[in-house]
Amino acid sequence: MRAVFVLCLLSCSGYFSQGEFIEDTITYGSFPPGFIWAAATASYQVEGAWNVDGRTPSIWDTFVRTPGTIADQSTGDDACLSYYLYEQDVALLKSMGVSHYRFSISWSRVIPDGVGASNPLGIQYYKNLIAALKAAGIKPMVTLYHWDLPQVLEDQGGWQNPEIATWFEAYADLCFEQFGADVEYWITFNEPWCQSYLGYGSGSKAPGIKQSGTQDYIAAHNQLRSHAKAYRLYELKYKQTQKGKVGITLNISWAEPEDNSTSAAAAAERSLQFAGGWYANPIWGPNGDYPQVMVDLIGRKSTAAGLPQSRLPVFTEAEKIELKGSSDFFGLNFYSSEIVREELFDDTLVDYTTDKDAVAYQDKENWYGTASTWLRITPWGIRRMLNWIKERYNNPDVIITENGMSDRSGFLDDSMRIYFYKYYINNVLQAVQDGVNVIGYTAWSLMDNFEWERGYLERFGMHYVNFTDPARPRIPKASANYYARLIQKNGFGPEEICDSANVY
């Protein structure tokens, strides 16, 4: 049974897609038994204590001290002070009734030199956090890398240095050994696209290198090699006893063709392959390698530019074998969608954004905006994205590892965030009913935090954090209560229509 949401204000967030108007609708139903309900944070964004108890600087500690990089000139030095207030964070999680908490480990907190000796105080912090979660009946979902590479390793080339795969494997080994007995789900990398393109291509994120079309491809290559090594290490050394699962999280925006033309459809598919397939195809694809469209286009353009070899690195046959099948689940961070058309660029240009011969934009007239310029609200996009994963990669288990929206106000009555969660999560339910193997959903974020280059200007949290108060109090927003009710019901019932009328 489907119920159309009838308020005119809400119907405007649809989009004319190839002649079809996509309305906001609510589908009744429940998620499967045992469905994972989670909330997420990341180490640099919440922990603070940047130079405490043996932690050494990460690339973000360096980046925030570079003039002009952070919109409000702030840093994550203190952030939410979760290094000290983690028990309060666990209490928030328990009050919402989540089954899992997704957090990340700071590499430079547990191995200050990046390689070699570990830091007992850093390790103890994560053991204390995991113990508190366990006492509250919440399972950890742990990310090994959420963009905060130890600066000492960046000084040795960072993700440009092929040796980093060995360094990452040793770091993963320490984490598996120290924490693995209590961790059900491991995520090797969060959004490698961001670390690769935004870190080494556009330079908008740490380490701030602007070498698109070359260094971003190398960074991605070495992150994939590192992921495979960590996965195979766990598989061989820990899986039999710890019985956990290891995956990777990719961020992909849905690409909607601009019109019914064959060229627009092909451009949209290329965009998805250059964003998601770049990382997914080596793992879930047929041969452990990059999508053929990337190999062909980048190879052709490299030749046109007079280069002796393709700008896209090449995996060895052994690496392809190691990569293929190296994930127990597909982690998806989904926020928004874009409209795509074909644009044939000069083949001699050296840039990731032109390699795909496509341009993308968002419908600013019909899609609700948020505090983030890149994030417009398109609930229907997540359903299409999930079905794309199902069709391209043989329907793997999928965990939505991030989904949420930003605002600037920090209002406790965050009705637009409730609207966002209601319709995005309902579209996840519709994808489940389509046959997509979605096994979990994670809301971003547990609380307001340091939003990377935007500083504290954009708030994604379900809990308000007062960053001018040294005590960093956390206060539930209305969205935290709404999410808790969804978790309790494990789905949507007819009362959602009545609830919807109170969203605005």
Side-chain angles (χ1 to χ4, degrees):
M1 180 178 181
R2 296 173 66 85
V4 178
F5 190 68
V6 294
L7 288 184
C8 293
L9 179 62
L10 299 188
S11 67
C12 292
S13 69
Y15 173 62
F16 283 98
S17 170
Q18 302 180 6
E20 172 195 3
F21 187 75
I22 304 169
E23 289 186 284
D24 292 316
T25 62
I26 288 292
T27 292
Y28 306 148
S30 297
F31 286 93
F35 192 77
I36 293 168
W37 292 101
T41 62
S43 53
Y44 187 75
Q45 293 180 274
V46 300
E47 285 180 3
W50 76 284
N51 61 353
V52 171
D53 289 345
R55 182 188 182 277
T56 58
S58 73
I59 56 176
W60 272 94
D61 295 296
T62 302
F63 190 69
V64 298
R65 288 167 171 77
T66 304
T69 57
I70 309 301
D72 61 357
Q73 294 83 51
S74 63
T75 73
D77 289 2
D78 296 318
C80 302
L81 293 177
S82 288
Y83 187 73
Y84 307 103
L85 305 178
Y86 67 89
E87 290 177 314
Q88 292 186 28
D89 299 343
V90 173
L92 301 180
L93 292 159
K94 185 175 181 180
S95 70
M96 289 194 297
V98 299
S99 60
H100 291 70
Y101 176 40
R102 183 187 170 213
F103 64 91
S104 72
I105 293 173
S106 167
W107 189 340
S108 61
R109 196 180 293 285
V110 297
I111 307 179
D113 293 327
V115 295
S118 61
N119 176 21
L121 293 176
I123 290 171
Q124 191 59 50
Y125 163 69
Y126 293 109
K127 286 189 173 181
N128 291 344
L129 172 57
I130 290 171
L133 290 168
K134 192 173 181 179
I138 300 166
K139 297 178 180 179
M141 182 186 296
V142 181
T143 304
L144 291 172
Y145 186 78
H146 201 128
W147 307 350
D148 47 352
L149 184 71
Q151 181 62 46
V152 65
L153 297 185
E154 179 60 31
D155 293 342
Q156 299 175 59
W159 295 110
Q160 300 300 298
N161 187 337
E163 289 299 311
I164 200 167
T166 301
W167 305 338
F168 185 81
E169 182 182 33
Y171 161 59
D173 196 7
L174 173 72
C175 293
F176 295 152
E177 177 187 56
Q178 292 293 327
F179 315 121
D182 295 312
V183 176
E184 182 179 12
Y185 288 97
W186 291 97
I187 296 166
T188 55
F189 286 87
N190 177 78
E191 299 184 348
W193 182 93
C194 291
Q195 180 64 96
S196 301
Y197 174 64
L198 301 180
Y200 292 87
S202 73
S204 62
K205 285 182 165 52
I209 294 170
K210 299 178 181 180
Q211 293 292 331
S212 185
T214 54
Q215 290 198 21
D216 40 10
Y217 290 134
I218 296 170
H221 195 73
N222 287 326
Q223 285 177 89
L224 282 164
R225 293 175 56 245
S226 300
H227 159 79
K229 284 189 175 296
Y231 180 87
R232 298 304 175 191
L233 169 73
Y234 188 89
E235 183 180 51
L236 291 172
K237 189 174 179 181
Y238 297 101
K239 192 173 185 68
Q240 185 174 358
T241 55
Q242 295 183 359
K243 304 187 186 308
K245 295 184 177 182
V246 179
I248 189 170
T249 280
L250 309 182
N251 61 300
I252 318 173
S253 295
W254 174 248
E256 185 71 21
E258 185 179 60
D259 54 37
N260 286 317
S261 67
T262 302
S263 63
E269 180 64 21
R270 282 198 304 277
S271 292
L272 291 167
Q273 290 294 343
F274 266 75
W278 187 3
Y279 305 93
N281 210 70
I283 298 170
W284 288 278
N287 56 5
D289 204 357
Y290 295 117
Q292 194 61 44
V293 67
M294 291 188 73
V295 174
D296 292 344
L297 275 175
I298 300 168
R300 187 191 79 199
K301 296 189 177 201
S302 299
T303 300
L307 300 176
Q309 60 189 26
S310 177
R311 290 181 279 109
L312 184 68
V314 177
F315 293 116
T316 67
E317 290 305 312
E319 287 171 341
K320 291 178 184 178
I321 293 170
E322 197 168 48
L323 272 164
K324 184 179 178 182
S326 61
S327 194
D328 298 323
F329 60 92
F330 193 120
L332 174 67
N333 288 0
F334 186 91
Y335 288 93
S336 194
S337 303
E338 53 193 15
I339 304 166
V340 180
R341 70 171 184 270
E342 181 178 72
E343 183 80 24
L344 301 179
F345 292 97
D346 184 342
D347 274 5
T348 63
L349 293 175
V350 177
D351 196 296
Y352 163 78
T353 61
T354 59
D355 281 341
K356 55 190 170 184
D357 281 342
V359 294
Y361 61 95
Q362 293 188 314
D363 186 344
K364 295 181 180 180
E365 292 185 6
N366 292 303
W367 299 353
Y368 291 143
T370 66
S372 304
T373 57
W374 53 271
L375 202 174
R376 288 189 171 270
I377 300 176
T378 57
W380 49 270
I382 195 168
R383 181 182 181 187
R384 295 187 177 201
M385 189 73 256
L386 288 166
N387 273 280
W388 185 86
I389 292 169
K390 171 192 172 186
E391 292 163 4
R392 296 299 183 280
Y393 302 116
N394 197 31
N395 204 13
D397 285 349
V398 178
I399 301 175
I400 308 297
T401 42
E402 284 182 26
N403 182 233
M405 64 156 282
S406 60
D407 59 34
R408 290 179 180 269
S409 67
F411 291 154
L412 299 182
D413 184 14
D414 55 342
S415 55
M416 183 57 88
R417 184 169 288 109
I418 293 175
Y419 169 78
F420 181 100
Y421 282 133
K422 180 191 299 290
Y423 287 96
Y424 272 77
I425 295 172
N426 194 259
N427 271 272
V428 174
L429 175 62
Q430 292 178 51
V432 170
Q433 294 173 346
D434 293 337
V436 183
N437 288 329
V438 185
I439 64 171
Y441 175 90
T442 308
W444 183 272
S445 176
L446 171 63
M447 56 192 165
D448 297 334
N449 53 55
F450 180 79
E451 186 49 36
W452 306 113
E453 70 271 25
R454 300 303 299 160
Y456 298 101
L457 297 178
E458 298 173 13
R459 294 170 175 265
F460 279 81
M462 293 181 288
H463 293 84
Y464 172 80
V465 178
N466 184 349
F467 294 106
T468 63
D469 187 332
R472 295 296 194 275
R474 290 101 153 101
I475 304 172
K477 301 178 187 178
S479 58
N481 296 323
Y482 176 76
Y483 189 50
R485 293 201 307 273
L486 268 184
I487 293 171
Q488 185 178 34
K489 292 183 294 187
N490 197 42
F492 294 82
E495 68 275 10
E496 287 299 323
I497 291 299
C498 296
D499 287 348
S500 297
N502 296 321
V503 169
Y504 286 87

